[in-house]
Amino acid sequence: MIFDTHAHYTSRRFDGHRDAVLDSLPAQGVAGVVECGVDLATSRAALALSHMRPWIFAAAGIHPESLIEEDTSTVAQFGGDWRAELAAIEPLFEDARVVAVGEIGLDHHWPVPAEAQLALFEAQLCLAAERGLPCLVHDREAHAETYALLKKYRPKGILHAYSGSAEDAVWITRQGMLLGFGGALTFKNARRAVEAAAALPLESIVLETDCPYMAPEPLRGKECHSGMIRFTAERLAEIRQIPVEEVLRVTEQNARRVLCV
């Protein structure tokens, strides 16, 4: 069965057909989805989705890009005051359907102020530790700073869309994190991801989509959904020379173990 550890069905790109997409997933073998918040508004929406469908779980947090995107509640409602927004998010963790702090992390691809996003990430790592919850970590072009904080706080959880080296993959997973691989693993230029996926025990890997983005080959460029994980699983099975059914079974077990669901 498919377990998607990183999805964004609250994205406006699903407006008008969200229910149709979600209702189609169980028949495609989807047994679990983690819907990730990126600000207060989407964290609340993720929680609402999790109450509507028992196989959807919620993560709540503030994404670094939310600090600069005008349509996020971080900017529109809180004027960039992420501390106030994080205080407003905290009560959501009292609900058992919220199983992780996320999506949180660092992003140097976009012009997000470095000092603010570092402080935000560190605050949310502390929150996860206080709550005893795993983290769903975003790391885009920010390996050095991300890895330094992972070493400092040693969180449990998932490093989403892993793009680092095989060598780094080994120490990160030995420290207790799992690595998430999505559609990018199927791309022709995915050398580093392939090397990392081959270097790890399967018990250290989970599968994800980041939908509606990052659809795998042969559907690259289309709107992504959790059912497409089968293509990523097939690529991982090819890399490791094992049956795709084993990939799906073990990665589902891994996801449920780290998220306690």
Side-chain angles (χ1 to χ4, degrees), residues 42-60:
T42 54
S43 294
R44 285 175 171 166
L47 181 55
L49 278 184
S50 76
H51 280 285
M52 294 167 62
R53 293 172 174 85
W55 44 271
I56 295 180
F57 305 92

Side-chain angles (χ1 to χ4, degrees), residues 72-261:
T72 62
S73 57
T74 313
V75 174
Q77 182 178 346
F78 292 91
D81 185 352
W82 61 262
R83 291 176 178 84
E85 183 172 39
L86 193 56
I89 286 174
E90 277 209 61
L92 301 183
F93 295 109
E94 300 300 326
D95 192 306
R97 300 298 298 175
V98 180
V99 298
V101 180
E103 178 181 359
I104 65 174
L106 300 174
D107 193 306
H108 292 335
H109 181 77
W110 300 108
V112 184
E115 186 175 344
Q117 64 170 314
L118 276 167
L120 171 61
F121 185 29
E122 196 157 11
Q124 292 182 104
L125 288 172
C126 290
L127 175 61
E130 292 166 5
R131 292 274 177 177
L133 288 172
C135 300
L136 305 181
V137 177
H138 172 98
D139 167 20
R140 190 172 187 187
E141 300 175 19
H143 293 335
E145 295 95 331
T146 300
Y147 294 171
L149 289 176
L150 293 183
K151 288 177 179 177
K152 179 178 179 179
Y153 288 98
R154 302 180 69 88
K156 304 304 179 185
I158 299 166
L159 184 51
H160 149 66
Y162 185 70
S163 60
S165 68
E167 292 77 14
D168 285 329
V170 171
W171 74 256
I172 291 168
T173 55
R174 284 178 177 167
Q175 189 171 281
M177 295 283 286
L178 302 187
L179 300 187
F181 292 92
L185 186 67
T186 70
F187 298 169
K188 292 182 175 62
N189 62 347
R191 179 184 60 82
R192 281 164 65 88
V194 168
E195 290 173 352
L200 297 172
L202 190 58
E203 288 72 19
S204 295
I205 294 173
V206 292
L207 299 179
E208 61 176 47
T209 56
D210 204 20
C211 68
Y213 317 105
M214 301 294 288
E217 297 287 0
L219 303 171
R220 188 173 182 178
K222 295 186 177 181
E223 179 183 276
C224 189
H225 61 73
S226 302
M228 294 181 184
I229 276 183
R230 177 162 292 277
F231 294 101
T232 305
E234 288 172 354
R235 179 65 178 123
L236 184 57
E238 178 185 350
I239 292 166
R240 303 184 66 89
Q241 294 296 292
I242 58 176
V244 67
E245 292 79 12
E246 182 178 354
V247 167
L248 290 171
R249 177 181 60 80
V250 175
T251 55
E252 182 191 4
Q253 290 175 348
N254 298 343
R256 293 190 183 279
R257 183 178 72 251
V258 72
L259 298 166
C260 298
V261 298

